[in-house]
Amino acid sequence: MNPTPARECSPRLALVQAAYEAFRAGDSAALLDVLDPEVEWVHPDGMADYGLGGTCVGHQGVREFLSRVPAVLGGMRLYPEEFVESGDRVVVFGSRDVTSLSGRTERLKFVHAWTLRGGRAVRMEDVFDTVLLHRLIES
């Protein structure tokens, strides 16, 4: 019996997976390589109290967003679990271990909606339960 050949992933899926690998490695330069220079980096408005809500635009906006995270959180690891492709979009369902500044860690679910054009991500929208994250941040 022949083994089933591994399915090759599409260029869109490979691009999004490269973004998660860069984030896992803490390599912001590699993350920015995946993102269009005018990317829209969108997080729930409910995170505005912590400087982490709304839409950041461009590489500089993403850098500024990422620089604010350590003031609010002690750490984060992303676990993308399911990738769904449709046209120029890749939607990722996953979870993340989030650690508060006090050292408490919880696993929270997320949905990331990526829009891709010209071999780069032009939009990434992070959807999650802000109430749960607020509780963790304030713990």
Side-chain angles (χ1 to χ4, degrees), residues 71-133:
V72 177
L73 297 172
M76 181 183 310
R77 289 195 59 88
L78 298 175
Y79 302 100
E81 296 159 0
E82 181 180 354
F83 297 78
V84 180
E85 296 181 66
S86 180
D88 64 355
R89 306 249 332 204
V90 175
V91 177
V92 181
F93 298 88
S95 59
R96 59 180 136 215
D97 287 343
V98 183
T99 303
S100 69
L101 292 175
S102 68
R104 191 169 128 226
T105 300
E106 287 197 28
R107 184 158 285 189
L108 306 173
K109 294 189 177 296
F110 69 79
V111 177
H112 289 162
W114 296 83
T115 304
L116 311 168
R117 282 193 205 98
R120 294 249 176 115
V122 296
R123 181 178 174 91
M124 192 290 298
E125 184 171 359
D126 190 1
V127 179
F128 58 90
D129 187 332
T130 59
V131 172
L132 293 177
L133 190 52

Side-chain angles (χ1 to χ4, degrees), residues 55-73:
T55 302
C56 299
V57 177
H59 287 183
Q60 186 59 34
V62 172
R63 277 192 213 91
E64 289 170 7
F65 174 88
L66 295 174
S67 73
R68 289 191 296 269
V69 172
V72 177
L73 297 172

